[in-house]
Amino acid sequence: RKEVEQDPGPFNVPEGATVAFNCTYSNSASQSFFWYRQDCRKEPKLLMSVYSSGNEDGRFTAQLNRASQYISLLIRDSKLSDSATYLCVGYSGAGSYQLTFGKGTKLSVIP
Amino acid sequence: DAGITQSPRHKVTETGTPVTLRCHQTENHRYMYWYRQDPGHGLRLIHYSYGVKDTDKGEVSDGYSVSRSKTEDFLLTLESATSSQTSVYFCAASKSDTEAFFGQGTRLTVV
């Protein structure tokens, strides 16, 4: 079983919609989590860090639920420019800093 | 600019030849990672390094070796390239369990 799992999608949503992605992780020792965005044929770039207390940045909200071992990303008022693949990422194991990615969820925002 | 550069950016090589990809960083990151990205698999960790001369295997390390003789350089070597190693290779670097920064990728084709 892969350590970080996420729904590959694709998610096709109209402009202005709210969309949510979830990601589960299997290693309870994992400490730090992030959401990255990857555009076609480009390198992944950090979208936001994920904290237990929740993290909001404009239209984006990330949440970590340690009890259920899942991470979520909520995008409100979707824009065409949000179309990309969203990657859930975690550091596996205390102190090992092995960075593990989910397979990514593809989002297409439609006019 | 995250200070991560990969070279070459594109390479075509023949089956059975050795290939070395280079990742160079200028931000004194302790941790460095090599990933390959293939359709349907997402980013898979090949090898990573947690310091000079300290490396460890990832989930898809067979057929690959790495070396890190200096903090700023992390080399990935395919000892004898095979067609199954045709992929996009990404290098990443981080301080610890914090944001990882990526290079722009190397597109390798083995014919």
Side-chain angles (χ1 to χ4, degrees):
Chain A
R1 178 187 172 190
K2 196 167 172 61
E3 289 197 28
V4 177
E5 306 232 25
Q6 58 182 127
D7 184 343
F11 283 60
N12 299 314
V13 303
E15 272 187 289
T18 295
V19 60
F21 306 137
N22 288 323
C23 175
T24 59
Y25 63 95
S26 59
N27 189 338
S28 59
S30 298
Q31 296 296 312
S32 303
F33 300 92
F34 306 87
W35 283 100
Y36 277 71
R37 170 190 169 130
Q38 185 175 27
D39 295 293
C40 187
R41 302 173 78 87
K42 298 284 190 179
E43 74 273 23
K45 293 187 177 179
L46 180 71
L47 178 65
M48 57 198 309
S49 303
V50 187
Y51 307 118
S52 295
S53 56
N55 187 18
E56 185 171 320
D57 183 4
R59 298 181 293 108
F60 299 84
T61 300
Q63 186 79 50
L64 166 63
N65 184 318
R66 289 198 182 276
S68 301
Q69 295 187 199
Y70 80 82
I71 305 131
S72 63
L73 176 69
L74 184 74
I75 304 176
R76 291 178 297 278
D77 188 23
S78 299
K79 311 291 185 190
L80 295 176
S81 58
D82 293 335
S83 296
T85 297
Y86 291 83
L87 302 164
C88 170
V89 186
Y91 279 96
S92 302
S96 75
Y97 301 136
Q98 183 175 151
L99 194 58
T100 302
F101 283 79
K103 290 186 179 181
T105 299
K106 186 172 182 180
L107 172 66
S108 294
V109 181
I110 304 161
Chain B
D1 181 6
I4 314 290
T5 54
Q6 293 182 229
S7 59
R9 294 290 314 282
H10 301 271
K11 186 171 181 65
V12 180
T13 192
E14 293 186 349
T15 299
T17 60
V19 177
T20 295
L21 308 183
R22 180 181 184 238
C23 179
H24 179 78
Q25 55 117 342
T26 59
E27 301 295 325
N28 201 35
H29 294 293
R30 178 180 174 185
Y31 298 87
M32 297 185 76
Y33 308 84
W34 275 109
Y35 294 89
R36 61 177 290 174
Q37 188 171 38
D38 306 287
H41 290 280
L43 281 156
R44 292 183 291 174
L45 183 64
I46 305 171
H47 282 278
Y48 69 105
S49 169
Y50 44 96
V52 173
K53 298 185 179 179
D54 289 324
T55 65
D56 205 350
K57 296 179 180 180
E59 64 176 301
V60 291
S61 59
D62 287 349
Y64 301 94
S65 62
V66 290
S67 67
R68 188 152 178 221
S69 58
K70 299 184 292 183
T71 298
E72 55 267 35
D73 290 323
F74 192 32
L75 304 180
L76 177 70
T77 297
L78 290 65
E79 302 292 346
S80 177
T82 66
S83 58
S84 64
Q85 293 176 312
T86 292
S87 187
V88 179
Y89 292 84
F90 285 103
C91 172
S94 68
K95 299 291 186 188
S96 60
D97 61 341
T98 56
E99 175 186 2
F101 298 91
F102 281 80
Q104 293 179 293
T106 295
R107 192 167 297 273
L108 176 68
T109 302
V110 183
V111 298

